[in-house]
Every structure is written in C-alpha cells, then in structure tokens.
C-alpha cells in the first residue's frame, strides 16, 4: 500500500509517548489502577470483559468460585479488574500475588500481606491463619492472579480459607493455564461455579475494539485493521498495546513519516519475536 493508513494529523501528539501509564482510576482517561496502557489509550468493554463481569458477579452472589483462563496476553487480568472496579457496598476486593515457586508458607504470607493486616507476620502458622480467617469474615473477593503457578498444597490452602465456616469469600483464580492447575485438585475444581475463558478477539470485533482503544486507530479503515490483526495482532490485546506504543513513538520521533503497510510491517517485527 502506498497511501498512508493513518492521517497525518495523528502525528501531532502533545509529548513523547511513555512506555505506559498506570495507576489512574477508571474515568475520563479510561485507565484503571493496576493496568498499564499506552498513552492516550482507553479500556474497552469487549464481549469477553462482559462475560467475565457476569461470571464474577454470579460468583459473588453465592460466595462461589470462578476460574478465568485463556492464552497469555488476551486481557484476563484487565477483564477481572474492570469487572471488580466497582463492587456493591459492604464488599472488598483483595488481590493476592502468587510468589515465584510458591509454597504454603509463601502463600500464607502473601494472603496476610495482601489483606494489610496489622502487626508483623506471625512466626507460626496458627496465629497467621487465625488473623487471616478473621479478616475474611467480611464479604470479600479474593483474586489470585497467575494461579497457574500454584501447586496442589497451595490450592489446598486456598480451599481451606474458602471452606472455613467463618469466612465470606468469593474466590477468583486467574491465569493462563489456571484451569489446568485446578485440574490437579478435583476437590477444588468441583467447587468452581464458572469456568470463563477469555478468547482471542475475532477479526471483526478486533477492528471495532481497537478503534475505541486508541485514537491512532480511529482513522484506519476496518479492512486495514483486519489486516493488522491478521498479520500481527492475532486478537491479542497485549500485542495490540505494544504495537500502539511503537507506532506512537515512530510518529513522534521520525520526521515526515508515512504510516503505511511498509512501516507497520517493520513495527510488526519489533512486536513479535523471531520464529
């Protein structure tokens, strides 16, 4: 293609594009705490985000469990964060990071720290478990991201918290391969009320979503967006976000750049690793 894909006006951006911005509440900026976006991007409620929100909401209604899974980069964590951005009064949301090579002791500490409990972490398990159980006595969504890392003993620990008669937990297990991790503990897997996959964006939806995701894509014909997705994006949000950041910087740092398929082809090589 010889003609530019994106209008030249798109190059008149106010400042060099940083790698990402994060920590901004969802609102005018379209950003959300814990989510990194290219400058100027907005979060978009896709069909997958709506499905995750519905599954999480249903789990909260019965204090159940939900597993959110799908290949890396599809937006699982973002979908859960969007679903839990606003929860009903009386509910709290706690994100528990999974340690590298987690152990039960490490998970116990991770939950304790995530709940921001007062005092030092106890040296023995009994008082730590008592403090955690007491904190989980109020309605709370416990989100465990990167749950695919969890070995069976750690899953058993989470199940013990959920099964404790004094706790009121909705358990959200999220991660690429989290469904396979849960399969290693049938007792917990059988309690999961919803298995929600986050699939790739389909070609037609990818074009519509990216037009809402960032202003750079709004002047691109749908046929070109479909070509970009087929050639590079492959329905994966993380890839599209990286491509957006690279394109922003190309527009800001290269004089009289022509945004055509030749330029995009070069940017594709930056986004995708060599095969």
């Amino acid at each position: 293609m010889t003609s530019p894909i994106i209008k030249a006006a798109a190059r008149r951006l106010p400042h060099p594009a940083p790698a990402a911005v994060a920590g901004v509440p969802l609102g005018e900026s379209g950003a959300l705490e814990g989510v990194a976006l290219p400058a100027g991007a907005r979060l978009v409620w896709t069909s997958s985000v709506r499905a995750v929100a519905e599954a999480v909401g249903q789990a909260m209604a019965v204090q159940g469990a939900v597993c959110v899974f799908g290949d890396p980069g599809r937006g699982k964590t973002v979908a859960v964060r969007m679903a839990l951005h606003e929860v009903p009064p009386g509910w709290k949301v706690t994100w528990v990071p999974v340690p590298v090579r987690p152990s039960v002791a490490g998970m116990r500490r991770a939950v304790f720290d995530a709940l921001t409990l007062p005092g030092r972490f106890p040296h023995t398990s009994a008082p730590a478990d008592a403090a955690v159980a007491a904190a989980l006595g109020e309605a709370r969504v416990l989100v465990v991201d990167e749950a695919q890392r969890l070995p069976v003993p750690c899953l058993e620990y989470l199940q013990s918290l959920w099964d404790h008669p004094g706790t009121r937990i909705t358990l959200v297990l999220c991660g690429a391969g989290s469904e396979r991790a849960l399969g290693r503990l049938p007792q917990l897997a059988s309690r999961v009320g919803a298995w929600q996959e986050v699939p790739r964006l389909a070609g037609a939806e990818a074009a519509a979503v990216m037009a809402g995701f960032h202003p750079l894509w709004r002047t691109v014909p749908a046929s070109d967006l479909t070509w970009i997705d087929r050639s590079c994006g492959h329905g994966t949000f993380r890839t599209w976000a990286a491509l957006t950041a690279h394109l922003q910087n190309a527009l800001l740092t290269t004089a009289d750049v022509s945004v055509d398929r030749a330029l995009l082809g070069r940017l594709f090589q930056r986004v995708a690793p060599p095969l």
Side-chain angles (χ1 to χ4, degrees):
M1 175 180 288
T2 56
S3 61
I5 290 179
I6 299 177
K7 293 180 180 178
R11 286 185 276 133
R12 294 196 292 270
L13 298 174
H15 51 75
V21 294
V24 184
L26 186 64
E28 290 297 323
S29 68
L32 181 64
E33 181 181 359
V35 177
L37 295 173
R42 300 178 61 88
L43 293 172
V44 182
W45 279 80
T46 66
S47 58
S48 293
V49 173
R50 294 188 184 93
V52 168
E54 181 180 358
V56 171
Q58 290 174 349
M60 292 173 66
V62 296
Q63 293 179 16
V66 60
C67 176
V68 180
F69 64 98
D71 287 347
R74 292 185 181 178
K76 299 176 294 299
T77 301
V78 173
V80 174
R81 287 194 178 276
M82 291 175 71
L84 294 172
H85 175 60
E86 294 183 357
V87 295
W91 280 86
K92 294 184 178 180
V93 179
T94 298
W95 286 74
V96 180
V98 175
V100 177
R101 296 184 179 179
S103 63
V104 173
M107 280 303 300
R108 181 179 286 113
R109 179 64 182 264
V111 173
F112 186 95
D113 290 345
L115 292 170
T116 62
L117 297 178
R120 292 185 176 182
F121 180 70
H123 292 294
T124 56
S125 60
D129 289 342
V132 167
L136 296 178
E138 56 185 349
R140 188 182 299 265
V141 181
L142 205 64
V143 184
V144 182
D145 203 4
E146 304 295 343
Q148 71 275 7
R149 298 179 186 170
L150 294 173
V152 168
C154 291
L155 292 170
E156 290 175 331
Y157 169 70
L158 292 174
Q159 182 180 331
S160 72
L161 295 179
W162 189 35
D163 287 343
H164 191 287
T167 60
R168 301 172 58 197
I169 307 172
T170 294
L171 186 60
V172 179
L173 298 164
C174 179
S178 55
E179 78 285 7
R180 294 189 294 273
L182 279 167
R184 298 194 288 267
L185 185 62
Q187 302 95 307
L188 181 56
S190 66
R191 290 167 165 80
V192 174
W195 300 84
Q196 184 61 55
E197 182 178 9
V198 176
R200 296 179 187 272
L201 289 168
E205 186 179 19
V209 167
M210 289 309 128
F213 175 65
H214 199 281
L216 284 177
W217 304 119
R218 290 176 190 162
T219 59
V220 181
S223 58
D224 286 318
L225 288 173
T226 299
W227 170 77
I228 294 170
D229 189 62
R230 185 174 62 250
S231 303
C232 177
H234 305 301
T236 302
F237 250 115
R238 189 173 296 160
T239 303
W240 271 100
L243 180 62
T244 303
H246 283 301
L247 180 58
Q248 278 185 311
N249 285 318
L251 292 170
L252 287 162
T253 59
T254 306
D256 299 322
V257 63
S258 178
V259 183
D260 52 21
R261 292 196 177 190
L263 171 63
L264 288 168
R266 292 194 295 273
L267 296 181
F268 293 170
Q269 296 176 15
R270 294 184 185 177
V271 172
L275 299 177

